[in-house]
Amino acid sequence: MITGKTQVVGIIGDPVEHSLSPPMHNAAFKHLKMDCVYVPFHVREENLGSAIEGARSMEIKGLNVTIPHKTGVIPYLDEVDQAAQLIGAVNTIKFTENRAKGYNTDGLGAVKALEEITPVKDKKVVLMGAGGAARALAFQLVLNRISELTIANRTPQKAEELAGDIHSKLKFSPEAIGLEEMELSSTDILINTTSVGMYPHQDHPALVRREQMHPEMVVNDVIYNPLKTNLLKEAESIGAETLNGTKMLIYQGRESFRIWTGVTPPVEVFERSLMRTLR
Ligand SMILES: NC(=O)c1ccc[n+]([C@@H]2O[C@H](COP(=O)([O-])OP(=O)(O)OC[C@H]3O[C@@H](n4cnc5c(N)ncnc54)[C@H](OP(=O)(O)O)[C@@H]3O)[C@@H](O)[C@H]2O)c1
């Protein structure tokens, strides 16, 4: 029940109606009997500044930020944490006493999900893609001390830009290549952050075929719709361990929830709600 004391968090984006976050967070508030509600807010680019000011004025407790505002929102904040500064994108805002602080929990969530399967420290990683998800993952993987990073992208220039940014900020030198140059014989972890294989294009051939993989590698696709992409099917067919994008989504959301409330909700509550929505 919404009362006079109910606290509000939410998500801003354009579009926002496909977001899977409202049911996950509201399920956790219900489970934990917290008097809070999570609401989607459709915010167009030209209204981003006034939306943040409005949220401050109305004492909204926190916001998630999704496409296309993750970078554009930064100038409207008072402070930005280290990960968000490195990545250059914010997906979580916490408002306290009229101050707005930005965080990025995407990379944290993705690496936490991976670490349930394998520690990333000292691992050789190949990351496909150089967009927003790739940036978040690449910086967090380097912060978690992987030994080698290769960024492979359809547009190699974008891979080079990301590699250059990582080098200048973290003094770590990723290799930047085109997708057709990938060589995976010594790769420990292969991650897809491109949109190839995502609904409604799930029949698109995987960017990597089983012949290029080996059974000791972990293959992670950050796509969660479908749950099993062609890339993961190829990996499974040779006995490699696989991970889809649901855990990344769950862990980034849990970390946002913790930032706003100080409480870490049970994974199962987020997971049950997400699976119900995805089905
Ligand atoms: N699990 C999660 O929590 C989570 C979170 C964020 C994103 N995601 C998923 O991650 C994917 C990417 O999101 P994003 O925000 O990073 O998008 P983005 O910034 O638009 O980046 C898209 C990437 O996909 C590549 N790409 C697109 N079409 C391609 C094609 N036909 N062949 C080869 N490469 C292609 C792009 O390459 P170019 O540079 O050459 O264009 C670029 O590297 C989406 O599927 C999204 O759903 C999942």
Side-chain angles (χ1 to χ4, degrees):
M1 187 178 62
I2 295 191
T3 70
K5 292 184 193 149
T6 303
Q7 292 190 309
V8 179
V9 294
I11 180 165
I12 56 170
D14 180 18
V16 77
E17 64 264 29
H18 303 300
S19 172
L20 299 170
S21 296
M24 282 199 306
H25 287 273
N26 285 319
F29 287 139
K30 191 172 170 198
H31 177 84
L32 295 164
K33 299 187 172 55
M34 294 170 74
D35 192 1
C36 304
V37 64
Y38 186 108
V39 191
F41 298 108
H42 179 212
V43 175
R44 293 197 173 84
E45 199 172 345
E46 62 271 25
N47 297 325
L48 184 55
S50 57
I52 298 300
E53 284 319 298
R56 270 184 215 270
S57 309
M58 292 189 290
E59 299 186 8
I60 281 179
K61 210 173 165 65
L63 289 172
N64 276 137
V65 183
T66 190
I67 288 166
H69 301 317
K70 288 186 180 187
T71 300
V73 78
I74 292 176
Y76 302 108
L77 307 178
D78 302 298
E79 202 184 334
V80 170
D81 90 329
Q82 188 210 16
Q85 242 173 60
L86 288 170
I87 297 163
V90 159
N91 80 331
T92 304
I93 304 171
K94 181 175 185 174
F95 297 96
T96 19
E97 286 158 15
N98 207 33
R99 282 184 66 76
K101 181 169 178 182
Y103 301 81
N104 193 310
T105 67
D106 283 330
L108 269 177
V111 172
K112 187 168 170 50
L114 256 175
E115 292 220 300
E116 281 190 343
I117 295 186
T118 182
V120 301
K121 187 169 181 284
D122 298 327
K123 294 290 164 65
K124 294 179 183 169
V125 180
V126 173
L127 186 67
M128 295 188 277
R135 281 190 70 82
L137 257 148
F139 275 101
Q140 194 63 48
L141 285 165
V142 174
L143 289 174
N144 283 48
R145 301 181 173 278
I146 56 170
S147 64
E148 280 178 29
L149 177 62
T150 302
I151 304 166
N153 197 42
R154 175 177 63 178
T155 313
Q157 193 191 333
K158 286 196 195 156
E160 279 159 27
E161 282 165 18
L162 176 53
D165 198 20
I166 292 170
H167 178 72
S168 68
K169 289 174 176 166
L170 294 179
K171 306 288 167 249
F172 181 97
S173 303
E175 187 186 9
I177 60 172
L179 289 170
E180 62 294 340
E181 294 170 73
M182 272 188 289
E183 204 290 302
L184 304 171
S185 57
S186 64
T187 300
D188 299 307
I189 303 172
L190 171 67
I191 307 172
N192 176 49
T193 69
T194 76
S195 44
V196 173
M198 189 172 73
Y199 176 85
H201 304 293
Q202 63 272 30
D203 295 330
H204 194 292
L207 293 174
V208 176
R209 293 307 185 90
R210 52 181 285 159
E211 296 77 29
Q212 294 166 269
M213 300 175 177
H214 61 83
E216 285 74 39
M217 73 202 300
V218 172
V219 180
N220 175 201
D221 200 326
V222 303
I223 291 172
Y224 46 78
N225 186 14
L227 293 173
K228 202 181 281 183
T229 58
N230 280 340
L231 179 77
L232 297 187
K233 287 180 192 163
E234 297 272 340
E236 263 185 21
S237 75
I238 58 152
E241 223 170 330
T242 61
L243 173 69
N244 66 25
T246 52
K247 280 283 169 70
M248 171 179 175
L249 191 63
I250 288 166
Y251 285 130
Q252 64 76 27
R254 261 176 110 219
E255 182 59 15
S256 300
F257 192 106
R258 190 195 62 75
I259 288 168
W260 298 323
T261 65
V263 178
T264 307
V267 184
E268 305 74 47
V269 177
F270 265 42
E271 194 160 26
R272 226 179 296 131
S273 157
L274 176 62
M275 289 310 171
R276 208 179 302 131
T277 317
L278 282 174
R279 273 189 215 112

